[in-house]
Amino acid sequence: MLPCYGDALPLSLFLTFFYQKKTRCIMDRECSQLLPSVCAVLADSRQLVADDTFLEKFLDWFKTLTETESSLLLLQENPCLTELITCVLKLKDPSSSTLSFILRLTGIFAASESCFQYLQQRELLISLFGEVGPLSSALWEEASVRSGWVQGVHSMVQHQSALHFLCSCGAIDVIFTLQGDPSLFVASAANQLLVHVLTFSLQSFQTKPENIKDCDWPICAQKLIVHIEESLKSNSASRIKQSLKLLTSVFGCCHDLWTEVLWSRLSERIVYLLEEEPVHAGHSLVDLFLSMARSPVFSCPECSLWTSVTCALEHLNPAQVGRLAVGVLKLQECPQAVKIQALSVLLQPMDCVLKAASQPLEYPGLLNRSVNDSATVETLLSCRSSCASLLCQTLTHLEELQYLTCLPVDLPHIPLLQSVVTILQFCIGLATPASCLGNKISRILIGCFRVQRSALDILGALSHWESPSVFIGSVFDILLAYLKSPDTSPTVLKKSFQATLKWLVSLSEAPSSKDHWQQTEQFLRDLFLVLQKRLCSPYWEVRDSALEFLTLLVKHLREKEWFRQVLFSSEVPKLTEDLLEDPESYVRASAVTAMGQLSFLTHLISKKPGVENGNVKEKSIVAQLKEILSTDSEGFPRRAVISVFIDWLREGHPDVLKDTEQFVSSVLQAVNSDLDWEVKAGGLELAEVFSAQILGRLGLAACPYAAVLSSATRSTHLSESLQIFCQVKLFEFLFGALCDCDRPVAQKACDILIALKAELCDESSLKEGTSAGLSTEARGIAWLEETLRRWSSCAKPCPRGDADEAGSQDPNGVLLVLRTVDLEGLHRSLNRSSDHIEKSPQSLLQDILATVGTLEENEADCY
Amino acid sequence: MPEIKVTPLGAGQDVGRSCILVSIAGKNVMLDCGMHMGYNDDRRFPDFSYITQNGRLTDFLDCVIISHFHLDHCGALPYFSEMVGYDGPIYMTHPTKAICPILLEDYRKITVDKKGETNFFTSQMIKDCMKKVVAVHLHQTIQVDDELEIKAYYAGHVLGAAMFQIKVGSESVVYTGDYNMTPDRHLGAAWIDKCRPDLLISESTYATTIRDSKRCRERDFLKKVHESVERGGKVLIPVFALGRVVFATPGMLHAGQSLQIFRKWAGNEKNMVIMPGYCVQGTVGHKILSGQRKLEMEGRQILEVKMQVEYMSFSAHADAKGIMQLIRQAEPRSVLLVHGEAKKMEFLKQKIEQEFHVNCYMPANGETTTLFTSPNIPVDISLGLLKRESAIGNTPVNNDFPLSGTAILSFRLVSPEQALKELGLGEHQLRFTCRVHIQDPRKEHEMVLRVYNHLKGVLKDYSVQHLPDGSIMVESILIQATAQSEDQGTKVLLVSWTYQDEELGSYLTSLLKKGLPQTTA
């Protein structure tokens, strides 16, 4: 069926869209013709362009243009652009948005040196970026104008002339001021501009190694460095932070040798900042050290950076230092002593927690020695406002370490695991405080979801270490406690499921899995009891997470006999099936996916003697899923069904294997009338898998090791395949999808048809067609339209349900259509975004012209 | 001095993507997390790097609040929670939570369909994001943490739209989201109690407009539809997927069904298209609204639009009168305008400042507005001063009564006992009690002795006494034993402690709950 095509859009029109290709250069004649009128509109202060996205997109276009064409030529060929700049400068009261736009536009042009000279000769640059320009006007109060000025300068500084211009017109001092701008956006852009000016001036200057001394550096760079030094020496926390941010970006983006000279000049001052009590710019210092540590310039173990990092690890607040510690541990090149210190810093809060819950003799010891004064950490842990935050950070950092391919230091994973379990116990009131600190932590953490989530994340990550039975037991206990507790929030429950899955999968894959299987089996029994309850939860989030967990569990453990036994002795499969009728579509979709996995196991179980024959049951599952595919009003369950069917077809599900053609045919028929494009895309994937299987089965797949078939055998096999494809109405489906109004559907259908055409319409058969006079010209659009209409009407189910009478296709007709349609041309059209015309520069210019003065009424509206 | 800081990342002097950061008494809240319909690149989402520069997102932000399901208020949420990495709580009303994923799916579909984008949030991400959402009821006070609480009020903009009050201690902010002060056929008018927040953050879409009545617009609308149908034409009404009656989607004629129908009907002058809302640049809807009648289609074909094109806004925003009405209702100490155009905001700002004598702010995106909040201190004014002021004609104006005089503050520090005596109050003692079950078949006094010995051994630094009446005292904590009547093997210990000894009390309870060691005789 071709439902949307027949009613909504004539096929001739549709095909015209795709047949005629269009190439468009960026500044074509139409755009050049429209540009003067657009510039006139922009220069007229009475004609306000209300929507600022116009101007943004206009600038985007010029950025692209100047990247591909000569900017000077552009200005010379379109004098209206220079006139626009001049006009806006002359306006008595330009709007802030127009002025900002002109500043940015001029900057884009001035990025080319020849264009810069051209604009300079007309004194436009000094009028825009110099002291007499917008800088001294009332509009400078507008953040958008300041932002436009900074962005314009940033674009312009691509050559030495621009740099000289900046230094001579006092612009550098303006940028220094803008670093402290009340607008975050302007301040950040000004900082980035200074980074660019510094790196650009030094990169273009430093050609020889002897130029490394800072006294020889360009005046612009020297001025900047003096400014940084002064800021670092000032008492203003915000100025210090600005300079540290600037240095962070410099060391992050530039790895030249001069950065080392810069560091040697500033390091003393920065170490001084670290030694202040308290350290004010902790976060910014961490950023700076991490950015430097990642630069190859500072990687040598003797570099003074490491002394500063060591100092930072000692002096920074535990709440700030974690990020530095984990960053250091991730480095390839870093002195081992620093790494060991970094790990100790990270473990310290966990050590305190462990101590707070253990009697002195039982304390397992997470740290051999204390790096920092543990009193600071204890103070933070005993305070309500800092405890959860410090623990969350620490847990997250430690979790990050678990995913490193090679941990550079020994991680005491057993005590770490104990500490994580202890935190989780504290959070639900199961831990026994052994000290005053323990009492405080206990009261702060109880019911704290943030800490619970972070702790469960790392608990899952710790599963990849081999742990002794006693600890596995404690992990199982705490997981069960969370999974069972009615106080567990849906988000925490989801994390509990994730951690549980990781432990079960790790244990099943571990070499020592047999040692733990009894323990694991008992845990599974308890787990399924909880899962049964969770599947019946009144919250859809909980039911859905439970189903997602079940799906993954089955996927990973379905080969394990003990798992299957426990699973099928529970009510979980039955409850999952019941959820196919859940009122929430998300849950129905997850139930479909879970049933898709479970049905593989049902087969295995039903084959065993003594087990109730699952065949009848299994059939009903296939039927149920097909029913969902054809009748469910929501997209998610239908998409889930088609995904399950694709998996079944790929993996050779017994029910599919019984009669694959019938299965595929019925699924494609259901998908054909679906309005959801993702269901259709799924159907196309199913069709693709099926066609590959058929061609492969008959030895036609493109396998390099396959025996080469004789041409007669190949021809027989091809016609056999074609027959099968026609029987399941594959081509009807594919051509219908090709006409779909949703682009991804048509695109995928086109890809599949191109692949099939390559297989089925090989050279010889093409020749046959041509010799018979069946050229593309002979069988044009009208013929194709008619053919598709005929197929479409034949595909409608006839009242008696007789498939043969419903118009089975003629294989020769299919080949003819395949050869006739310009699939390659369609493919090119479909690769373009469906709104590419509306997004074109020409369209934008037309819109600007059309909008002026007409949208007064609508402009401020939204939903 | 306590302060409230507000930084719009979006909706500051524009009607793009709403995203406003509020810092109140050390708590950081994000109000809305919207996307800009006018962009197809990074600019469609707010620039979250300004938040991430303060360390981890989840550590910095205490919560995210979504006012309603429109995409310019929630479109960036899955990106923020699943791709940028925010893992904290998200609050919205129940209807918003139910409808949000449908609109997000629709948006994802258009983006993937139109652009073929792959690096975009997926269906699974939308679901995972929605699972993090805590749904709230109107007027229900939600305790985000010990200090931060929020409360939703009816906003009347679309189904589920809410205004939110954010409160930390005595400081509070109200964020209106989009609201409507005129009742609709299926939606009521926005309502908030006289909560006198330190700051009211209000939308200002129709800052300078006084809208005609909805009935007039409905009448005009029906008239136009009738006229078109009577002359044998058809009427196309492209609409957004939800929020109003669905005719054909999408609402800006940029893809899908509504565009297909438009192409088919555009050539007939009897037909009519009624655009019920704003269309961004880069869509067919925008083109026809701006009067373009010859549209280029694929293959350089020109589609001539002969059908009638009408614009009729039914969007439910408060007009200037409505905004003033809400301010009158809530009595804020200051107002901050968002979600509107700079020029119109400027006009409304002056009107608000004149009429209500409160400061009104209108920060641009990226600009931070800082407000210093001062607590109310009631003072007793001497009769002499009051008489003198009225003699010179100083009378209250709009509840303000500026007076100048000298404040004399006298503080005295007295003992609690004396304070009780002077205030005529009696002392109350707060005690906590707890029952601990202990499995012990022995007689009661033997068990108590075991408990006593155990505690004496563990709590060496504390005073542990065995009193003649059989009870045990540890500092102020009293432990008494009773037998469980139905089960002789189980004894019950009654533990009672004062508020001052709370720490020791809870420690003792947890210690006893672990049971008695076997070795203690």
Side-chain angles (χ1 to χ4, degrees):
Chain A
M1 271 182 75
L2 300 169
C4 56
Y5 145 69
D7 296 337
L9 180 72
L11 184 66
S12 51
L13 182 59
F14 163 79
L15 286 169
T16 316
F17 290 165
F18 293 117
Y19 262 138
Q20 298 186 15
K21 290 165 280 178
K22 185 156 97 177
T23 50
R24 183 194 293 273
C25 62
I26 300 173
M27 178 63 116
D28 55 18
R29 207 157 53 86
E30 286 116 329
C31 289
S32 310
Q33 281 169 352
L34 288 169
L35 200 57
S37 324
V38 171
C39 287
V41 164
L42 294 174
D44 186 347
S45 59
R46 291 163 303 167
Q47 293 186 321
L48 192 67
V49 178
D51 185 347
D52 60 0
T53 62
F54 282 106
L55 300 178
E56 291 290 327
K57 289 172 187 172
F58 199 62
L59 287 169
D60 290 348
W61 178 44
F62 275 101
K63 261 183 224 161
T64 329
L65 275 178
T66 51
E67 278 163 16
T68 50
E69 289 182 37
S70 152
S71 303
L72 185 60
L73 206 64
L74 202 65
L75 283 188
Q76 285 168 341
E77 286 180 354
N78 300 284
C80 58
L81 289 167
T82 318
E83 280 162 27
L84 169 65
I85 300 171
T86 318
C87 277
V88 171
L89 272 171
K90 280 183 191 160
L91 285 178
K92 274 187 187 165
D93 189 19
S95 75
S96 55
S97 58
T98 308
L99 186 57
S100 172
F101 162 75
I102 289 296
L103 285 161
R104 291 165 69 190
L105 182 71
T106 312
I108 291 171
F109 288 131
S112 126
E113 197 154 7
S114 57
C115 218
F116 175 89
Q117 304 299 352
Y118 176 89
L119 294 165
Q120 183 77 315
Q121 279 161 17
R122 283 156 183 75
E123 294 189 344
L124 293 176
L125 293 178
I126 195 74
S127 311
L128 278 169
F129 298 104
E131 284 171 357
V132 290
L135 263 169
S136 53
S137 83
L139 278 177
W140 191 250
E141 291 298 309
E142 300 283 335
S144 62
V145 173
R146 299 196 300 276
S147 172
W149 187 91
V150 174
Q151 290 180 61
V153 172
H154 199 134
S155 306
M156 182 166 57
V157 181
Q158 306 299 333
H159 42 80
Q160 287 299 324
S161 308
L163 216 49
H164 291 310
F165 170 76
L166 281 196
C167 294
S168 60
C169 74
I172 296 283
D173 290 321
V174 179
I175 310 172
F176 289 158
T177 316
L178 290 177
Q179 264 190 305
D181 198 90
S183 163
L184 278 179
F185 298 167
V186 176
S188 167
N191 218 38
Q192 284 308 312
L193 174 56
L194 287 179
V195 173
H196 175 66
V197 169
L198 182 65
T199 51
F200 180 75
S201 64
L202 282 167
Q203 272 165 355
S204 48
F205 164 77
Q206 188 215 343
T207 47
K208 296 172 189 170
E210 60 264 29
N211 282 340
I212 244 173
K213 282 184 185 168
D214 51 357
C215 55
D216 299 329
W217 287 2
I219 296 171
C220 186
Q222 292 205 23
K223 195 170 178 176
L224 249 158
I225 288 158
V226 169
H227 168 74
I228 296 170
E229 271 180 325
E230 281 173 1
S231 303
L232 290 175
K233 282 178 192 165
S234 74
N235 289 325
S236 155
S238 64
R239 280 188 68 190
I240 293 173
K241 278 184 193 168
Q242 284 158 16
S243 289
L244 290 174
K245 265 187 202 171
L246 192 154
L247 288 172
T248 304
S249 302
V250 168
F251 290 121
C253 68
C254 187
H255 299 157
D256 290 339
L257 285 177
W258 61 263
T259 52
E260 200 177 0
V261 182
L262 181 64
W263 168 244
S264 63
R265 185 161 160 177
L266 302 172
S267 59
E268 200 179 318
R269 183 64 212 164
I270 285 168
V271 172
Y272 176 77
L273 288 176
L274 274 174
E275 286 166 353
E276 275 183 336
E277 276 292 338
V279 183
H280 290 295
H283 281 302
S284 306
L285 282 164
V286 167
D287 288 335
L288 174 68
F289 291 136
L290 285 177
S291 135
M292 290 177 68
R294 288 171 194 141
S295 163
V297 178
F298 303 101
S299 61
C300 130
E302 290 78 35
C303 180
S304 68
L305 168 69
W306 303 116
T307 323
S308 305
V309 170
T310 309
C311 180
L313 287 170
E314 280 167 14
H315 284 85
L316 287 177
N317 182 314
Q320 297 169 333
V321 78
R323 213 156 45 85
L324 178 64
V326 77
V328 160
L329 285 164
K330 284 180 182 173
L331 292 171
Q332 298 274 338
E333 307 282 335
C334 170
Q336 189 64 9
V338 181
K339 287 193 176 179
I340 291 171
Q341 191 192 1
L343 183 67
S344 307
V345 163
L346 273 187
L347 291 176
Q348 189 130 30
M350 307 301 284
D351 186 61
C352 287
V353 169
L354 212 46
K355 246 190 241 172
S358 319
Q359 298 299 337
L361 290 176
E362 296 167 8
Y363 169 63
L366 194 53
L367 286 175
N368 292 331
R369 65 188 181 94
S370 180
V371 241
N372 286 352
D373 175 16
S374 66
T376 319
V377 174
E378 284 177 14
T379 312
L380 286 171
L381 287 176
S382 58
C383 172
R384 191 170 280 277
S385 59
S386 53
C387 175
S389 161
L390 176 64
L391 284 179
C392 281
Q393 281 178 30
T394 308
L395 290 164
T396 311
H397 293 321
L398 286 166
E399 190 203 346
E400 281 176 54
L401 289 187
Q402 308 306 313
Y403 298 113
L404 292 182
T405 40
C406 172
L407 199 62
V409 280
D410 289 334
L411 189 77
H413 75 275
I414 292 290
L416 178 61
L417 181 64
Q418 273 180 288
S419 65
V420 173
V421 170
T422 307
I423 288 178
L424 284 166
Q425 287 171 336
F426 269 129
C427 287
I428 49 171
L430 287 181
T432 312
S435 66
C436 184
L437 176 66
N439 268 322
K440 284 179 180 162
I441 293 178
S442 167
R443 268 183 294 158
I444 295 170
L445 289 190
I446 196 140
C448 181
F449 297 155
R450 270 176 71 195
V451 176
Q452 291 177 0
R453 283 195 294 259
S454 303
L456 284 161
D457 276 340
I458 187 178
L459 184 71
L462 284 169
S463 64
H464 71 267
W465 297 90
E466 191 126 334
S467 305
S469 290
V470 58
F471 294 110
I472 293 171
S474 70
V475 169
F476 284 166
D477 288 346
I478 194 73
L479 283 172
L480 270 179
Y482 272 78
L483 293 168
K484 269 183 195 168
S485 168
D487 289 336
T488 304
S489 85
T491 51
V492 174
L493 185 75
K494 190 175 170 185
K495 299 268 184 195
S496 311
F497 278 135
Q498 285 167 347
T500 306
L501 180 74
K502 283 185 182 164
W503 275 91
L504 283 172
V505 172
S506 289
L507 284 172
S508 72
E509 287 167 357
S512 58
S513 61
K514 280 182 188 160
D515 305 344
H516 308 298
W517 80 268
Q518 269 186 326
Q519 203 177 6
T520 312
E521 196 185 327
Q522 184 50 48
F523 173 67
L524 267 181
R525 285 187 196 286
D526 296 338
L527 176 70
F528 282 132
L529 286 176
V530 179
L531 198 62
Q532 283 168 199
K533 219 169 167 181
R534 294 300 189 180
L535 287 170
C536 302
S537 165
Y539 302 103
W540 74 263
E541 295 91 336
V542 172
R543 298 196 299 278
D544 191 76
S545 295
L547 284 168
E548 285 181 335
F549 167 70
L550 176 69
T551 305
L552 291 170
L553 201 61
V554 175
K555 199 171 179 180
H556 285 98
L557 301 182
R558 69 183 190 196
E559 302 301 325
K560 310 283 177 194
E561 174 64 25
W562 47 268
F563 170 73
R564 293 197 293 263
Q565 290 297 344
V566 180
L567 173 65
F568 283 97
S569 63
S570 76
E571 277 184 60
V572 167
K574 172 75 182 73
L575 289 169
T576 306
E577 196 180 332
D578 292 347
L579 289 175
L580 289 174
E581 287 170 13
D582 196 274
E584 179 61 46
S585 66
Y586 274 143
V587 180
R588 290 202 298 279
S590 296
V592 166
T593 314
M595 285 309 292
Q597 282 294 330
L598 279 173
S599 75
F600 283 105
L601 300 194
T602 324
H603 260 276
L604 287 173
I605 291 282
S606 63
K607 276 180 193 164
K608 288 196 159 192
V611 176
E612 189 192 339
N613 190 346
N615 207 24
V616 178
K617 191 81 185 160
E618 182 64 14
K619 264 184 193 165
S620 86
I621 285 166
V622 178
Q624 277 183 73
L625 295 194
K626 278 188 182 170
E627 195 186 330
I628 289 172
L629 182 65
S630 344
T631 58
D632 201 303
S633 59
E634 304 266 355
F636 303 119
R638 302 202 306 272
R639 286 179 213 163
V641 171
I642 197 77
S643 298
V644 165
F645 285 166
I646 293 167
D647 280 350
W648 281 7
L649 183 63
R650 275 212 180 99
E651 294 191 35
H653 188 281
D655 258 25
V656 175
L657 290 179
K658 270 181 216 158
D659 188 348
T660 310
E661 277 98 60
Q662 202 280 328
F663 171 79
V664 170
S665 171
S666 62
V667 174
L668 293 187
Q669 197 181 341
V671 169
N672 206 12
S673 52
D674 203 301
L675 291 176
D676 185 307
W677 71 268
E678 281 172 273
V679 174
K680 277 208 174 128
L684 286 165
E685 195 179 337
L686 185 95
E688 194 176 20
V689 173
F690 174 71
S691 55
Q693 281 181 355
I694 293 295
L695 293 173
R697 199 168 74 193
L698 299 173
L700 295 164
C703 171
Y705 306 107
V708 180
L709 299 173
S710 71
S711 84
T713 324
R714 185 176 162 78
S715 174
T716 318
H717 284 184
L718 274 175
S719 83
E720 214 174 305
S721 307
L722 195 57
Q723 200 66 44
I724 295 171
F725 293 153
C726 288
Q727 272 165 12
V728 302
K729 296 178 186 167
L730 183 79
F731 286 102
E732 256 184 50
F733 175 70
L734 291 175
F735 279 113
L738 188 64
C739 300
D740 199 282
C741 63
D742 283 312
R743 196 176 64 97
V745 175
Q747 205 173 9
K748 190 157 179 65
C750 193
D751 288 343
I752 298 171
L753 283 166
I754 287 174
L756 283 175
K757 185 180 171 182
E759 285 292 342
L760 301 173
C761 305
D762 60 0
E763 257 181 62
S764 56
S765 59
L766 269 175
K767 271 179 200 161
E768 261 171 54
T770 318
S771 61
L774 305 173
S775 68
T776 312
E777 288 78 24
R779 304 291 186 185
I781 293 162
W783 170 81
L784 186 58
E785 191 176 11
E786 188 47 46
T787 310
L788 292 179
R789 280 231 169 95
R790 188 157 44 82
W791 288 2
S792 170
S793 59
C794 288
K796 282 177 191 155
C798 71
R800 285 178 298 146
D802 190 341
D804 286 333
E805 275 194 33
S808 63
Q809 297 150 26
D810 167 24
N812 290 328
V814 167
L815 281 180
L816 196 65
V817 178
L818 263 183
R819 281 196 300 267
T820 310
V821 179
D822 178 16
L823 289 170
E824 288 73 20
L826 281 175
H827 189 257
R828 279 192 296 275
S829 301
L830 287 167
N831 268 345
R832 284 198 299 236
S833 156
S834 62
D835 61 347
H836 71 275
I837 288 182
E838 285 79 34
K839 274 172 49 199
S840 67
Q842 192 189 338
S843 168
L844 174 71
L845 297 179
Q846 283 167 345
D847 284 356
I848 294 178
L849 289 175
T851 309
V852 174
T854 60
L855 279 186
E856 194 80 351
E857 198 185 342
N858 323 340
E859 66 200 12
D861 204 354
C862 52
Y863 288 120
Chain B
M1 193 180 261
E3 59 181 27
I4 294 173
K5 284 185 176 183
V6 182
T7 313
L9 291 181
Q13 299 185 6
D14 71 11
V15 198
R17 40 182 185 214
S18 287
C19 183
I20 300 144
L21 291 176
V22 173
S23 174
I24 170 170
K27 299 285 169 185
N28 299 303
V29 178
M30 183 190 277
L31 303 171
D32 282 333
C33 191
M35 50 80 59
H36 198 307
M37 300 284 276
Y39 294 112
N40 286 327
D41 54 21
D42 287 351
R43 286 171 288 187
R44 67 179 145 216
F45 296 136
D47 191 342
F48 297 118
S49 62
Y50 294 96
I51 316 175
T52 47
Q53 68 188 2
N54 295 312
R56 269 185 73 229
L57 207 57
T58 312
D59 294 332
F60 175 74
L61 268 189
D62 292 281
C63 71
V64 173
I65 294 172
I66 301 294
S67 64
H68 63 286
F69 59 67
H70 279 152
L71 290 177
D72 58 337
H73 293 260
C74 73
L77 194 60
Y79 170 74
F80 186 59
S81 72
E82 307 306 308
M83 296 171 93
V84 181
Y86 172 71
D87 200 20
I90 301 163
Y91 296 94
M92 55 179 79
T93 61
H94 283 276
T96 306
K97 185 177 180 181
I99 298 168
C100 222
I102 303 174
L103 279 193
L104 288 167
E105 271 297 324
D106 196 49
Y107 170 38
R108 187 187 65 81
K109 174 184 147 74
I110 296 286
T111 310
V112 178
D113 175 12
K114 273 175 70 180
K115 292 265 295 166
E117 280 188 41
T118 45
N119 187 23
F120 200 71
F121 55 73
T122 60
S123 276
Q124 182 67 34
M125 285 177 183
I126 296 174
K127 181 167 84 172
D128 289 343
C129 169
M130 295 323 293
K131 282 185 178 177
K132 292 177 184 170
V133 170
V134 181
V136 302
H137 293 286
L138 292 177
H139 303 167
Q140 174 195 5
T141 302
I142 301 284
Q143 208 69 42
V144 176
D145 60 31
D146 291 337
E147 292 147 318
L148 173 64
E149 62 180 47
I150 59 169
K151 190 174 176 180
Y153 291 94
Y154 189 77
H157 173 61
V158 283
L159 180 66
M163 307 192 270
F164 278 88
Q165 183 188 34
I166 302 120
K167 204 170 169 192
V168 183
S170 63
E171 292 171 53
S172 69
V173 170
V174 168
Y175 173 57
T176 64
D178 292 352
Y179 65 102
N180 184 20
M181 296 297 283
T182 324
D184 203 339
R185 285 192 185 271
H186 61 292
L187 293 165
W191 183 86
I192 193 162
D193 54 29
K194 210 171 275 302
C195 52
R196 298 192 177 97
D198 292 288
L199 178 68
L200 174 81
I201 303 175
S202 171
E203 69 133 324
S204 52
T205 317
Y206 291 125
T208 55
T209 317
I210 305 291
R211 303 185 84 191
D212 55 359
S213 80
K214 203 132 202 191
R215 292 212 172 270
C216 286
R217 262 176 287 154
E218 282 173 2
R219 198 184 53 218
D220 290 350
F221 168 77
L222 288 176
K223 202 174 150 207
K224 280 175 181 165
V225 174
H226 273 288
E227 279 171 5
S228 186
V229 173
E230 272 170 18
R231 64 171 177 259
K234 294 168 185 166
V235 181
L236 168 66
I237 304 163
V239 290
F240 296 98
L242 270 162
R244 281 161 248 158
V245 187
V246 176
F247 290 97
T249 61
M252 298 191 192
L253 290 175
H254 50 294
Q257 194 76 2
S258 63
L259 183 59
Q260 296 267 17
I261 299 172
F262 172 77
R263 282 175 175 161
K264 206 181 167 197
W265 293 359
N268 188 341
E269 63 271 16
K270 286 181 188 167
N271 294 341
M272 180 190 280
V273 57
I274 298 179
M275 306 297 294
Y278 178 67
C279 297
V280 292
Q281 194 277 325
T283 61
V284 172
H286 176 92
K287 284 184 179 294
I288 58 168
L289 271 186
S290 64
Q292 299 181 58
R293 290 293 175 265
K294 287 189 175 175
L295 305 182
E296 189 185 340
M297 295 280 138
E298 292 273 356
R300 291 194 176 242
Q301 275 208 338
I302 300 293
L303 179 69
E304 198 167 344
V305 183
K306 291 182 183 162
M307 73 198 300
Q308 261 185 282
V309 179
E310 296 285 346
Y311 176 79
M312 298 200 79
S313 171
F314 285 91
S315 65
H317 290 273
D319 61 4
K321 240 164 71 184
I323 297 170
M324 301 300 272
Q325 196 184 330
L326 187 85
I327 297 174
R328 209 166 292 124
Q329 209 169 311
E331 285 192 9
R333 293 192 181 89
S334 48
V335 177
L336 188 142
L337 300 177
V338 291
H339 202 277
E341 286 171 69
K343 284 207 166 165
K344 294 182 177 178
M345 276 184 181
E346 186 63 53
F347 179 82
L348 185 66
K349 170 181 146 69
Q350 284 175 10
K351 216 175 148 207
I352 291 170
E353 286 180 336
Q354 269 170 17
E355 189 169 334
F356 299 105
H357 304 282
V358 295
N359 286 330
C360 183
Y361 309 90
M362 40 173 284
N365 286 330
E367 275 184 330
T368 303
T369 299
T370 307
L371 270 108
F372 296 100
T373 52
S374 41
N376 278 333
I377 305 170
V379 289
D380 181 30
I381 303 168
S382 76
L383 185 62
L385 181 61
L386 284 170
K387 278 182 176 171
R388 200 182 74 185
E389 290 295 318
S390 70
I392 57 168
N394 193 1
T395 48
V397 180
N398 289 336
N399 295 330
D400 283 340
F401 191 18
L403 276 180
S404 56
T406 307
I408 301 176
L409 305 175
S410 63
F411 291 108
R412 280 189 306 143
L413 201 62
V414 294
S415 68
E417 293 77 20
Q418 193 181 338
L420 287 171
K421 202 173 151 192
E422 284 188 19
L423 294 167
L425 299 173
E427 190 183 6
H428 291 261
Q429 204 183 48
L430 195 63
R431 284 191 83 87
F432 297 95
T433 56
C434 179
R435 293 160 76 91
V436 179
H437 294 255
I438 293 205
Q439 296 292 330
D440 197 331
R442 270 168 276 215
K443 283 181 183 161
E444 213 172 280
H445 68 273
E446 285 175 23
M447 193 271 294
V448 171
L449 199 62
R450 287 185 70 215
V451 172
Y452 171 71
N453 287 334
H454 176 51
L455 294 180
K456 194 111 178 117
V458 177
L459 305 167
K460 290 203 170 69
D461 298 337
Y462 293 88
S463 139
V464 184
Q465 299 169 58
H466 193 181
L467 302 179
D469 65 353
S471 54
I472 302 167
M473 278 289 271
V474 183
E475 304 289 333
S476 74
I477 296 153
L478 188 68
I479 304 167
Q480 287 174 321
T482 59
Q484 186 91 327
S485 56
E486 64 268 26
D487 177 9
Q488 289 302 316
T490 304
K491 304 284 183 301
V492 177
L493 286 174
L494 295 172
V495 188
S496 151
W497 65 93
T498 63
Y499 175 71
Q500 287 78 8
D501 273 332
E502 195 201 338
E503 254 175 51
L504 185 61
S506 48
Y507 172 63
L508 258 183
T509 319
S510 52
L511 189 72
L512 291 171
K513 276 182 180 168
K514 284 171 85 177
L516 297 175
Q518 293 303 319
T519 47
T520 311

